[in-house]
Amino acid sequence: MLDIELIRKKPDWVKERLKTRGEEYPPLVDNVLILDEERRSLIRELEGLRSERNRISKEIGSMKKQGADTTALEVQMKKLKERIEELEHKLSIVERDHKNLMLRIPNLPHSSVPVGEDEKDNVEVRRWGIPKEFGFEPKPHWEIGERLGILDFERGVKLSGSRFTVLKGMGAKLERALINFMLDMHAKKGYVEVLPPHLVKPQVLEGTGQLPKFEEELYKCERDELYLIPTAEVPLTNLFRDEILREDQLPIYLTSYTPCYRREAGAYGKDIRGIIRQHQFNKVELVKIVKPEDSYRELEGLTSDAEDILKALELPYRVVLLCTGDMGFSSAKTYDIEVWFPSQGRYREVSSCSNCEDFQARRMNTRYKDQKGRNIYVHTLNGSALAIGRTLAAILENYQREDGSVIVPHALRDYLKADIIKPE
């Protein structure tokens, strides 16, 4: 959520920044300001009426002690009470509408973010590794997985429908090995491992920005008013909602493995084959909660921590700075890490690392008390490190051999207790 004081003081600047994300956002600022002024006007009127009510109440009490007639004042008091109740009801509606509008305005892009409409305007920052040249036509991961007997797409569809896959044998073991490998690497860098609930309350998703805008992307348990998490970012970041942290608690580094659940409502026709875009997938997430002055340095560190996983797995990748039109709703700045897929001859996203500044903290009311006793909103950061299924797919493609087998990366051999994956 944006700072309402910033919107009041610099509305044109805020609208200009929002315009870089899409034309639909600047009009929301005007509507917010209209409701904000109505809200403040109602509050001023209510404060005046409540003060008058208190004055008359005291006068009635004094007159009754003296035995004086208070009928006229009591009639006036009744009218005041009715007017106050009327205005309180109106204020509750205005405040609800004001909050709903504020929740639909995305974060402002950082000044270093390139202005653009979509992924074609993203800017490559760096590359690591050299894509391998094969002496044969590299196969896509779904063909490799089916031939090895480790990916079962037909039974996934039989159990749950499209965009679900069953991993078997060495496929399931490779998935588990990747999870443990990533968690162990992050623990060595000071991240505290957390195992959170997979079902969360609506206000938790509101805190990180998935609600109300992206409800169609979420799986909801109607009876219990709970949602399946789309990413561990949601419960991890919300661990400190409505809390005031001590300054010496910061920075906080958290990591978590969870399944993630997404309806992929806007992904019809995209990545139909394989395990790139699934309704249920595993992911290791990183979350940082830090002081504002440290957050952009921490973003570079978080991105580097995600990159180190790919370096250890010896998978070629590149880092891309997202443009304003391609960034997530809550982010002020995002780096995507894209891993090389030989069968497609291109890089595909395997991680997004974002600094949300105080956008999520304001929605969650998460602050820390500084040395001067001031309560300051924290900055929150998050990043995939990494999406397990996509990493597994990249391993199958980059380490495939002509006979259909797949070499196990050195970093995973102790976890997997194998050097090569052969057909089962």
Side-chain angles (χ1 to χ4, degrees):
M1 184 181 296
L2 298 183
D3 183 357
I4 187 61
E5 286 294 331
L6 177 63
I7 295 176
R8 288 171 186 159
K9 292 176 181 177
K10 301 172 69 176
D12 292 337
W13 181 81
V14 170
K15 285 190 284 187
E16 281 300 313
R17 296 303 298 155
L18 288 173
K19 191 176 180 180
T20 66
R21 279 182 169 271
E23 295 287 347
E24 71 271 27
Y25 295 117
L28 295 181
V29 174
D30 292 325
N31 293 333
V32 160
L33 288 171
I34 291 169
L35 287 172
D36 182 56
E37 180 53 41
E38 185 175 359
R39 171 180 166 275
R40 291 199 286 175
S41 175
L42 286 168
I43 289 172
R44 285 193 297 267
E45 187 175 354
L46 273 168
E47 288 175 347
L49 292 175
R50 287 166 181 160
S51 177
E52 179 69 4
R53 179 185 61 187
N54 292 339
R55 184 191 66 77
I56 292 175
S57 178
K58 289 178 182 178
E59 189 174 346
I60 288 174
S62 177
M63 289 177 67
K64 281 185 176 181
K65 286 180 182 179
Q66 299 172 18
D69 182 9
T70 60
T71 302
L73 284 177
E74 287 176 0
V75 170
Q76 188 176 350
M77 177 69 90
K78 183 181 178 182
K79 290 181 179 179
L80 266 176
K81 182 181 178 183
E82 290 172 351
R83 179 59 177 163
I84 288 171
E85 288 176 351
E86 177 189 343
L87 291 179
E88 285 176 339
H89 177 67
K90 188 173 182 180
L91 177 61
S92 68
I93 294 172
V94 170
E95 287 183 331
R96 180 200 65 197
D97 293 344
H98 180 265
K99 180 184 177 182
N100 286 340
L101 271 181
M102 288 289 288
L103 289 174
R104 291 183 179 277
I105 298 176
N107 204 352
L108 300 179
H110 187 261
S111 59
S112 63
V113 174
V115 175
E117 294 182 3
D118 51 37
E119 61 181 18
K120 73 177 185 301
D121 298 315
N122 295 340
V123 177
E124 183 176 309
V125 177
R126 57 184 171 270
R127 292 189 182 196
W128 184 91
I130 300 173
K132 178 182 176 181
E133 292 187 10
F134 293 86
F136 58 93
E137 185 70 26
K139 294 179 173 60
H141 68 272
W142 56 86
E143 286 188 21
I144 300 168
E146 285 183 315
R147 290 188 182 187
L148 290 173
I150 64 175
L151 297 180
D152 193 330
F153 299 103
E154 289 186 8
R155 287 187 172 89
V157 171
K158 180 169 70 174
L159 291 175
S160 305
S162 63
R163 298 191 189 275
F164 289 93
T165 306
V166 173
L167 278 71
K168 302 187 300 184
M170 289 299 285
K173 290 179 180 179
L174 179 55
E175 183 101 353
R176 179 158 50 91
L178 282 167
I179 292 166
N180 289 333
F181 167 66
M182 292 179 192
L183 288 174
D184 287 347
M185 275 199 68
H186 298 318
K188 291 175 183 176
K189 295 185 177 184
Y191 291 87
V192 175
E193 185 175 345
V194 178
L195 188 60
H198 299 170
L199 289 160
V200 295
K201 301 173 182 178
Q203 56 265 40
V204 172
L205 287 151
E206 183 181 285
T208 40
Q210 284 78 15
L211 286 179
K213 185 175 175 63
F214 301 105
E215 182 153 16
E216 284 301 307
E217 290 288 339
L218 303 170
Y219 283 104
K220 183 178 182 180
C221 302
E222 298 279 355
R223 181 183 298 180
D224 302 300
E225 194 63 19
L226 293 171
Y227 291 83
L228 285 164
I229 59 171
T231 166
E233 169 204 344
V234 172
L236 290 186
T237 312
N238 276 275
L239 284 174
F240 303 98
R241 66 179 292 111
D242 293 319
E243 291 188 26
I244 299 175
L245 301 167
R246 301 189 315 274
E247 187 170 6
D248 62 10
Q249 288 179 269
L250 301 177
I252 295 171
Y253 294 176
L254 305 172
T255 186
S256 180
Y257 148 69
T258 65
C260 304
Y261 307 90
R262 299 181 187 178
R263 293 186 62 243
E264 294 289 352
Y268 181 79
K270 296 179 181 178
D271 297 308
I272 296 297
R273 305 195 67 180
I275 57 174
I276 296 295
R277 198 178 299 274
Q278 301 275 279
H279 290 307
Q280 175 186 321
F281 59 96
N282 293 319
K283 183 156 66 78
V284 170
E285 186 77 3
L286 302 178
V287 162
K288 290 184 174 185
I289 299 171
V290 305
K291 293 193 286 187
E293 61 266 28
D294 299 331
S295 66
Y296 279 96
R297 175 177 55 81
E298 294 282 7
L299 175 61
E300 300 300 323
L302 185 145
T303 306
S304 177
D305 292 338
E307 290 179 67
D308 284 346
I309 299 293
L310 292 174
K311 288 178 180 177
L313 295 172
E314 300 180 83
L315 291 171
Y317 69 87
R318 69 173 188 165
V319 177
V320 175
L321 176 59
L322 300 194
C323 72
T324 54
D326 200 32
M327 281 199 311
F329 181 82
S330 298
S331 176
K333 183 175 183 177
T334 296
Y335 292 112
D336 269 8
I337 304 174
E338 301 176 347
V339 66
W340 178 255
F341 275 82
S343 72
Q344 301 177 33
R346 65 179 178 126
Y347 294 92
R348 298 297 306 271
E349 179 201 336
V350 73
S351 170
S352 281
C353 300
S354 300
N355 184 359
C356 299
E357 297 186 354
D358 63 2
F359 185 81
Q360 292 176 327
R362 288 181 181 278
R363 297 166 78 105
M364 298 183 302
N365 194 30
T366 303
R367 296 163 291 170
Y368 77 95
K369 190 177 291 294
D370 71 2
Q371 294 179 351
K372 296 181 179 179
R374 297 173 300 181
N375 292 333
I376 299 172
Y377 286 106
V378 298
H379 279 197
T380 61
L381 301 90
N382 64 80
S384 310
L386 302 165
I388 307 297
R390 293 188 177 198
T391 307
L392 186 151
I395 288 172
L396 294 183
E397 293 207 9
N398 283 277
Y399 283 91
Q400 63 179 293
R401 301 201 304 185
E402 192 169 10
D403 64 1
S405 63
V406 173
I407 299 170
V408 176
H410 286 281
L412 298 177
R413 291 181 181 179
D414 286 343
Y415 290 88
L416 208 56
K417 307 302 181 187
D419 297 342
I420 192 167
I421 302 174
K422 298 180 180 179
E424 298 187 355

